Amino acid sequence: MTTRHLRITGARSADRRAALEAAGPFEFTTTCHQWLRGPCTALTALLHRYVPEAWEAGPEPVEEHRATLLYIVPELAGRIGPPPPSLVNDTPHEERTRYFAERMIRATHHGIIDFLLAHARRRQGPPLTLAFDDVHAASATEQEFLALLVRRADPSVLRVAVAGADGPMTAELADAVGKFTESVPVTPALVGPPLDARGYVWSDCTSDDPEAYADYRALPDAVRAALHDERAAELETRPDRGLLLGAIPGHRERGADPHGAGRRALRAALELCVAIGYSEATADLGMRGRALCDPDADAQDYCHFTAKAASALVPLGRLEECVALYRELRRRYATPRVQMSTSYALAVLHTRFLEPRDHDLALEHMNNARALAALEPDPVLGAYYQVFQDNGLALVEMHRGDLERSHELTARGIERLERELPPDRYVVHRSQLLHNRARVRYALGRLDEAYADFTELIAWDPYYVEYHVDRANLCRRRSDLAGALAGYDRAVEVSAPMPELFHNRGDVRAEVGDVEGALADFARALELEPDELGTRLARVALLIEADRPGEALADVHAGLALHGDDSRLLCLAGLAQQALGQLELARDAYDRALSADPTSVPALTDRAVLTFEQGDPHGAVADLTAALALGGEHPDVLYNRGFALLAAGETEQALADFTRALALPGADFAGLLCRRAECLTRLGEARRAADDLNGLLHLHDQGLLPPDAEPAEALEMLEELSAAGVGGGCDGR
């Protein structure tokens, strides 16, 4: 039996299933066809199969991933209990103003994979084997899940087969299949009697039987529509939410009443996909729904389908299509609410997404939205609409650089909603206003007030991960590393796996000296997303700092395989090779780094250090001079060039560099004064040197130097000067 994942390509499902059976056995085989359960066809079937099994075997893996599992298949709560409380989930649908982003879906996929791997590891016997057919007809969302699963799953623990016809595949899935699977040959298989038209409909139109499809197309329209309605009615009795996203609306829009029952089914599916964050499915459902609307007779639905589709196009990067939809609504409808909502949407696009950003145009749109909000006669809705637009204005003002105005708008909005709205109305939007105020206060440096806001938000919605991350970031800014670690720990506990959480915690662990904890966090982040270059750079740098250059070099090679000749990775390769004594390889790495990026200041400074160590101070000076020309004056680079100049006998130039460096922020004051004293002594100005050193000691005694600024070298130099008869001695020391 192969120990790799499998790839099976064949035009007919019957042929693929036969190949799977021959290559198996596979414990669980499912279709990925999005016409069945929309973007979560295979995932829904998979979790229905394995969550109850895992729960019965011992609830630990389920408990650890409860929120993630129920996010995708909420009906499993009947078996495993409810998800953690959430402010959004407890809010009426029409008052929701916060939706999950695409990254949440990806993190959820990682959480499901963690669950499956944990369940597979604790089972006795052979690996868990899963087969996914119709991959060519899977949504991009489900293909993302399969790509992550194929990449992350060890086939000796969980073996995967992906099967489908030649067809569209996301770049990520194609890459994973190319790297981690081997192909299985497909031969024509014997098949049973062909389906008839009814069988085709009962396959939820996923059958690839050409005769069945031909029979289906030959039916009279009314008969065909009746079959779709019959199948939809049967599916609607099943407790499977996934069917609401795929087969049910698909049948209803092909049934006898597409403009009534079909439109209602599409809208129900749309709302679910919006709430979950399925952007691609939301865009598709929105466009299909508006196609079933009469723009005049069904104006409300037409606007709703169009606006939701437009919003979903933003995370998909389809910004021109998004703008076109909003502008179409503006041309078609003169109603204040349509003009208000589209003005708001266009303002956000111009201030956050469209390139080039146009904050002034965004302000024009947002002011228009605010003026229209004031026309709402209902006192509750009027207050809500006006505060909502003011919150948008605060965003624009923040991007325009007026943080005080942004803070004023959010603070005033909070006060107004508290004063004019019942306490149980628009609770999610109140939390968003408070979150925005906290972030603006953070940006303004009002850290105590921001901390209080984040703390209030956590008490309000304790399982919302962004609040924990934001407060942890604030703690880190205040140098409260214990508080930052506690915040990141809690964020990891309440969230689906996000690489940035582990990266951030790893940074803080490294800062407090927990090297092994930091390396474990960086490794976890890279397990989730190997392409995260920032995390790889951080881990390599930490390994070098921890005197583990061999491990660092292996990590560099893995990074170069993914990112090509990245100058930062090549610089770190040079440092690791220097530590291993591989000096020529180190020089080659620095040269390659400069070929990849001739403006790389780190490559120049690192190569200068190597050049100096190899006995060529003039070569080091040349590289450091180029680094200063590219990066501007930096105290450390000036220090190093001064040191090289001193070694080259250019004492006056070295003195100038040390003197210039002393005037720059972040300078190593003690080291620079000692080096300058050395220069002065060589130039015959020993008394000036002694004055500098005594001044340094005085600053140290007054506590005006950093704690790590040791005066030992200065004391030693003063003793030497005193022995040589230079006045001033050591100030009585």
Side-chain angles (χ1 to χ4, degrees):
M1 178 187 295
T2 179
T3 56
R4 300 197 71 200
H5 302 304
L6 303 182
R7 167 66 168 145
I8 296 168
T9 304
R12 296 193 313 164
S13 179
D15 299 341
R16 299 192 300 267
R17 294 296 177 110
L20 281 169
E21 186 175 344
F26 283 90
E27 180 178 312
F28 181 76
T29 301
T30 185
T31 178
C32 300
H33 207 302
Q34 61 185 314
W35 289 359
L36 182 57
R37 293 188 182 88
C40 56
T41 293
L43 268 180
T44 300
L46 191 64
L47 296 183
H48 273 294
R49 170 68 175 80
Y50 285 105
V51 170
E53 178 185 290
W55 182 256
E56 293 300 323
E60 292 81 8
V62 175
E63 288 290 2
E64 183 177 355
H65 302 287
R66 171 183 295 275
T68 296
L69 301 173
L70 292 173
Y71 186 71
I72 299 297
V73 189
E75 58 265 34
L76 286 170
R79 291 292 300 272
I80 66 174
S86 164
L87 194 62
V88 168
N89 289 343
D90 295 338
T91 296
H93 178 80
E94 62 274 10
E95 292 189 5
R96 286 190 182 186
T97 53
R98 186 177 78 204
Y99 300 98
F100 292 105
E102 285 282 294
R103 69 182 185 130
M104 179 62 182
I105 299 299
R106 191 171 180 89
T108 298
H109 289 163
H110 278 304
I112 292 170
I113 292 167
D114 287 344
F115 160 75
L116 290 170
L117 291 173
H119 180 53
R121 288 189 187 102
R122 73 174 183 173
R123 294 180 3 147
Q124 299 298 316
L128 175 60
T129 53
L130 307 174
F132 300 90
D133 195 12
D134 300 313
V135 172
H136 62 283
S139 68
T141 302
E142 196 130 83
Q143 289 194 26
E144 176 188 90
F145 167 75
L146 292 174
L148 297 174
L149 181 63
V150 167
R151 171 172 61 79
R152 289 189 54 199
D154 178 351
S156 67
V157 175
L158 192 161
R159 192 161 65 98
V160 178
V162 290
D166 283 326
M169 191 181 293
T170 63
E172 184 178 21
L173 181 55
D175 182 65
V177 166
K179 289 178 178 176
F180 301 106
T181 71
E182 64 181 58
S183 293
V184 174
V186 175
T187 57
L190 294 175
V191 295
L195 297 176
D196 59 9
R198 182 182 181 84
Y200 178 79
V201 173
W202 254 245
S203 78
D204 300 309
C205 304
T206 65
S207 171
D208 58 11
D209 184 332
E211 294 184 30
Y213 182 69
D215 287 348
Y216 165 80
R217 293 304 308 165
L219 290 174
D221 290 347
V223 175
R224 189 165 56 245
L227 284 176
H228 281 295
D229 284 337
E230 183 184 352
R231 178 60 171 167
E234 191 273 324
L235 293 176
E236 286 165 354
T237 65
R238 300 186 186 182
D240 183 344
R241 187 185 69 165
L243 296 170
L244 297 172
L245 307 181
I248 291 172
H251 287 300
R252 287 300 186 192
E253 67 183 323
R254 293 168 178 82
D257 185 20
H259 300 283
R263 196 169 82 231
R264 289 191 294 273
L266 286 168
R267 178 149 179 174
L270 178 83
E271 307 305 344
L272 288 171
C273 287
V274 168
I276 298 169
Y278 289 144
S279 297
E280 184 188 48
T282 297
D284 174 64
L285 290 163
M287 299 305 288
R288 285 159 59 190
R290 81 186 213 125
L292 294 178
C293 296
D294 180 297
D296 297 319
D298 310 312
Q300 186 174 358
D301 265 2
Y302 186 86
C303 288
H304 190 79
F305 280 119
T306 303
K308 294 303 182 185
S311 180
L313 291 171
V314 175
L316 298 176
R318 295 160 58 181
L319 299 182
E320 290 184 6
E321 296 171 71
C322 171
V323 171
L325 288 175
Y326 285 132
R327 293 184 65 188
E328 185 222 326
L329 290 180
R330 292 170 68 77
R331 290 191 301 272
R332 189 180 290 277
Y333 300 107
T335 57
R337 288 190 187 181
V338 170
Q339 294 295 318
M340 175 186 70
S341 62
T342 54
S343 292
Y344 177 95
L346 289 169
V348 171
L349 284 167
H350 282 293
T351 200
R352 285 189 60 188
F353 298 105
L354 292 169
E355 296 290 350
R357 305 289 170 83
D358 191 336
H359 305 307
D360 288 341
L361 181 56
L363 183 60
E364 293 175 19
H365 282 301
M366 201 63 82
N367 279 337
N368 185 57
R370 179 60 175 82
L372 290 164
L375 301 177
E376 173 58 51
D378 181 275
V380 171
L381 281 178
Y384 163 67
Y385 285 152
Q386 291 170 52
V387 170
F388 190 93
Q389 311 313 317
D390 281 345
N391 190 39
L393 275 172
L395 174 70
V396 175
E397 294 292 6
M398 182 180 70
H399 287 155
R400 296 176 79 236
D402 191 345
L403 293 177
E404 291 292 351
R405 174 64 173 157
S406 181
H407 180 265
E408 176 193 349
L409 287 163
T410 53
R412 191 175 67 196
I414 291 170
E415 294 169 1
R416 182 173 181 185
L417 292 187
E418 289 177 348
R419 184 175 64 251
E420 298 185 25
L421 264 62
D424 60 343
R425 296 296 307 275
Y426 295 101
V427 177
V428 170
H429 187 59
R430 293 172 194 248
S431 72
Q432 288 179 284
L433 283 169
L434 183 58
H435 195 192
N436 290 344
R437 186 179 73 178
R439 287 171 160 172
V440 175
R441 285 176 166 177
Y442 178 90
L444 286 167
R446 296 165 61 170
L447 300 186
D448 289 343
E449 294 170 282
Y451 186 92
D453 281 349
F454 288 133
T455 301
E456 183 179 348
L457 286 164
I458 289 170
W460 206 350
D461 199 2
Y463 291 92
Y464 190 57
V465 64
E466 285 194 45
Y467 301 155
H468 297 283
V469 172
D470 285 345
R471 192 173 71 172
N473 292 341
L474 187 152
C475 288
R476 190 175 179 186
R477 181 172 169 183
R478 294 202 300 193
S479 298
D480 176 12
L481 298 184
L485 277 176
Y488 292 134
D489 285 344
R490 185 59 179 156
V492 168
E493 289 174 10
V494 304
S495 175
M498 294 182 180
E500 58 266 34
L501 299 181
F502 297 99
H503 180 115
N504 290 348
R505 189 171 68 177
D507 277 344
V508 177
R509 283 178 163 174
E511 200 169 344
V512 300
D514 180 7
V515 173
E516 293 305 319
L519 290 174
D521 272 344
F522 292 147
R524 173 63 166 148
L526 289 171
E527 175 196 4
L528 298 172
E529 302 294 348
D531 286 347
E532 289 289 335
L533 180 57
T535 301
R536 193 170 298 277
L537 292 169
R539 188 168 74 171
V540 174
L542 183 58
L543 286 167
I544 293 172
E545 186 180 333
D547 197 23
R548 293 158 66 171
E551 295 173 65
L553 198 55
D555 217 3
V556 165
H557 290 320
L560 291 173
L562 289 168
H563 301 287
D565 272 6
D566 180 85
S567 65
R568 293 161 294 179
L569 281 170
L570 288 166
C571 283
L572 291 170
L575 292 174
Q577 285 158 338
Q578 272 185 262
L580 291 166
Q582 301 168 354
L583 301 187
E584 291 310 312
L585 290 175
R587 178 172 294 280
D588 179 65
Y590 297 139
D591 290 345
R592 286 171 60 194
L594 286 166
S595 294
D597 179 9
T599 67
S600 173
V601 171
L604 286 165
T605 56
D606 290 341
R607 189 173 70 177
V609 171
L610 174 62
T611 301
F612 183 87
E613 290 177 354
Q614 290 184 310
D616 181 8
H618 292 287
V621 168
D623 273 348
L624 292 167
T625 300
L628 288 165
L630 287 167
E633 290 194 339
H634 187 282
D636 293 343
V637 181
L638 284 168
Y639 182 106
N640 286 341
R641 190 175 71 170
F643 199 87
L645 286 165
L646 196 58
E650 305 287 349
T651 307
E652 289 187 358
Q653 293 181 49
L655 177 63
D657 273 359
F658 295 140
T659 302
R660 284 160 58 196
L662 281 167
L664 298 175
D668 174 8
F669 203 72
L672 284 164
L673 277 176
C674 288
R675 296 286 73 74
R676 195 171 80 153
E678 184 178 351
C679 291
L680 290 168
T681 302
R682 288 193 187 187
L683 292 169
E685 299 188 48
R687 186 169 299 281
R688 280 183 62 195
D691 289 344
D692 272 358
L693 295 170
N694 275 314
L696 170 64
L697 295 173
H698 179 72
L699 290 173
H700 183 270
D701 290 344
Q702 295 297 312
L704 299 177
L705 292 179
D708 59 350
E710 289 291 334
E713 185 181 8
L715 282 168
E716 183 179 341
M717 294 177 72
L718 276 170
E719 292 289 353
E720 292 174 0
L721 290 171
S722 179
V726 177
C730 296
D731 281 352
R733 292 171 188 263

PDB file of all heavy atoms in Angstrom, residues 695-706:
ATOM      1  N   GLY A 695      33.142  61.918  32.106  1.00  0.00           N
ATOM      2  CA  GLY A 695      31.744  62.297  31.872  1.00  0.00           C
ATOM      3  C   GLY A 695      30.841  61.089  31.750  1.00  0.00           C
ATOM      4  O   GLY A 695      29.706  61.083  32.252  1.00  0.00           O
ATOM      5  N   LEU A 696      31.351  60.040  31.088  1.00  0.00           N
ATOM      6  CA  LEU A 696      30.575  58.805  30.965  1.00  0.00           C
ATOM      7  C   LEU A 696      30.298  58.199  32.329  1.00  0.00           C
ATOM      8  O   LEU A 696      29.167  57.792  32.633  1.00  0.00           O
ATOM      9  CB  LEU A 696      31.339  57.817  30.083  1.00  0.00           C
ATOM     10  CG  LEU A 696      30.809  56.383  30.027  1.00  0.00           C
ATOM     11  CD1 LEU A 696      29.416  56.352  29.413  1.00  0.00           C
ATOM     12  CD2 LEU A 696      31.758  55.486  29.233  1.00  0.00           C
ATOM     13  N   LEU A 697      31.330  58.140  33.179  1.00  0.00           N
ATOM     14  CA  LEU A 697      31.151  57.563  34.514  1.00  0.00           C
ATOM     15  C   LEU A 697      30.177  58.391  35.344  1.00  0.00           C
ATOM     16  O   LEU A 697      29.377  57.846  36.123  1.00  0.00           O
ATOM     17  CB  LEU A 697      32.504  57.455  35.219  1.00  0.00           C
ATOM     18  CG  LEU A 697      33.492  56.478  34.571  1.00  0.00           C
ATOM     19  CD1 LEU A 697      34.854  56.577  35.242  1.00  0.00           C
ATOM     20  CD2 LEU A 697      32.967  55.054  34.660  1.00  0.00           C
ATOM     21  N   HIS A 698      30.237  59.716  35.174  1.00  0.00           N
ATOM     22  CA  HIS A 698      29.301  60.580  35.905  1.00  0.00           C
ATOM     23  C   HIS A 698      27.856  60.300  35.484  1.00  0.00           C
ATOM     24  O   HIS A 698      26.955  60.193  36.336  1.00  0.00           O
ATOM     25  CB  HIS A 698      29.658  62.045  35.644  1.00  0.00           C
ATOM     26  CG  HIS A 698      28.738  63.009  36.325  1.00  0.00           C
ATOM     27  ND1 HIS A 698      28.744  63.213  37.692  1.00  0.00           N
ATOM     28  CD2 HIS A 698      27.754  63.827  35.824  1.00  0.00           C
ATOM     29  CE1 HIS A 698      27.821  64.096  38.007  1.00  0.00           C
ATOM     30  NE2 HIS A 698      27.206  64.486  36.887  1.00  0.00           N
ATOM     31  N   LEU A 699      27.650  60.153  34.174  1.00  0.00           N
ATOM     32  CA  LEU A 699      26.300  59.831  33.698  1.00  0.00           C
ATOM     33  C   LEU A 699      25.833  58.490  34.250  1.00  0.00           C
ATOM     34  O   LEU A 699      24.664  58.333  34.618  1.00  0.00           O
ATOM     35  CB  LEU A 699      26.278  59.797  32.165  1.00  0.00           C
ATOM     36  CG  LEU A 699      26.427  61.147  31.449  1.00  0.00           C
ATOM     37  CD1 LEU A 699      26.571  60.929  29.949  1.00  0.00           C
ATOM     38  CD2 LEU A 699      25.217  62.041  31.738  1.00  0.00           C
ATOM     39  N   HIS A 700      26.741  57.528  34.307  1.00  0.00           N
ATOM     40  CA  HIS A 700      26.374  56.214  34.849  1.00  0.00           C
ATOM     41  C   HIS A 700      25.986  56.327  36.317  1.00  0.00           C
ATOM     42  O   HIS A 700      24.997  55.736  36.769  1.00  0.00           O
ATOM     43  CB  HIS A 700      27.536  55.244  34.658  1.00  0.00           C
ATOM     44  CG  HIS A 700      27.219  53.843  35.118  1.00  0.00           C
ATOM     45  ND1 HIS A 700      27.451  53.416  36.417  1.00  0.00           N
ATOM     46  CD2 HIS A 700      26.666  52.790  34.462  1.00  0.00           C
ATOM     47  CE1 HIS A 700      27.058  52.156  36.522  1.00  0.00           C
ATOM     48  NE2 HIS A 700      26.585  51.753  35.358  1.00  0.00           N
ATOM     49  N   ASP A 701      26.767  57.087  37.088  1.00  0.00           N
ATOM     50  CA  ASP A 701      26.469  57.245  38.516  1.00  0.00           C
ATOM     51  C   ASP A 701      25.128  57.931  38.740  1.00  0.00           C
ATOM     52  O   ASP A 701      24.434  57.659  39.732  1.00  0.00           O
ATOM     53  CB  ASP A 701      27.579  58.059  39.192  1.00  0.00           C
ATOM     54  CG  ASP A 701      28.888  57.284  39.275  1.00  0.00           C
ATOM     55  OD1 ASP A 701      28.846  56.041  39.100  1.00  0.00           O
ATOM     56  OD2 ASP A 701      29.935  57.912  39.487  1.00  0.00           O
ATOM     57  N   GLN A 702      24.764  58.821  37.809  1.00  0.00           N
ATOM     58  CA  GLN A 702      23.493  59.532  37.939  1.00  0.00           C
ATOM     59  C   GLN A 702      22.304  58.704  37.442  1.00  0.00           C
ATOM     60  O   GLN A 702      21.166  59.163  37.488  1.00  0.00           O
ATOM     61  CB  GLN A 702      23.557  60.840  37.141  1.00  0.00           C
ATOM     62  CG  GLN A 702      24.576  61.832  37.669  1.00  0.00           C
ATOM     63  CD  GLN A 702      24.237  62.293  39.073  1.00  0.00           C
ATOM     64  OE1 GLN A 702      23.108  62.665  39.352  1.00  0.00           O
ATOM     65  NE2 GLN A 702      25.222  62.256  39.974  1.00  0.00           N
ATOM     66  N   GLY A 703      22.580  57.482  36.934  1.00  0.00           N
ATOM     67  CA  GLY A 703      21.506  56.632  36.418  1.00  0.00           C
ATOM     68  C   GLY A 703      20.950  57.097  35.095  1.00  0.00           C
ATOM     69  O   GLY A 703      19.803  56.782  34.755  1.00  0.00           O
ATOM     70  N   LEU A 704      21.763  57.844  34.322  1.00  0.00           N
ATOM     71  CA  LEU A 704      21.290  58.402  33.060  1.00  0.00           C
ATOM     72  C   LEU A 704      21.666  57.550  31.860  1.00  0.00           C
ATOM     73  O   LEU A 704      21.406  57.934  30.717  1.00  0.00           O
ATOM     74  CB  LEU A 704      21.843  59.818  32.877  1.00  0.00           C
ATOM     75  CG  LEU A 704      21.423  60.827  33.962  1.00  0.00           C
ATOM     76  CD1 LEU A 704      22.079  62.173  33.722  1.00  0.00           C
ATOM     77  CD2 LEU A 704      19.905  60.974  33.984  1.00  0.00           C
ATOM     78  N   LEU A 705      22.281  56.384  32.100  1.00  0.00           N
ATOM     79  CA  LEU A 705      22.604  55.455  31.022  1.00  0.00           C
ATOM     80  C   LEU A 705      21.736  54.219  31.147  1.00  0.00           C
ATOM     81  O   LEU A 705      21.255  53.892  32.243  1.00  0.00           O
ATOM     82  CB  LEU A 705      24.083  55.062  31.083  1.00  0.00           C
ATOM     83  CG  LEU A 705      25.107  56.152  30.770  1.00  0.00           C
ATOM     84  CD1 LEU A 705      26.514  55.588  30.894  1.00  0.00           C
ATOM     85  CD2 LEU A 705      24.890  56.724  29.383  1.00  0.00           C
ATOM     86  N   PRO A 706      21.535  53.504  30.064  1.00  0.00           N
ATOM     87  CA  PRO A 706      20.769  52.247  30.155  1.00  0.00           C
ATOM     88  C   PRO A 706      21.422  51.295  31.148  1.00  0.00           C
ATOM     89  O   PRO A 706      22.646  51.328  31.350  1.00  0.00           O
ATOM     90  CB  PRO A 706      20.828  51.694  28.725  1.00  0.00           C
ATOM     91  CG  PRO A 706      21.102  52.874  27.861  1.00  0.00           C
ATOM     92  CD  PRO A 706      21.947  53.803  28.686  1.00  0.00           C
TER      93      PRO A 706
END
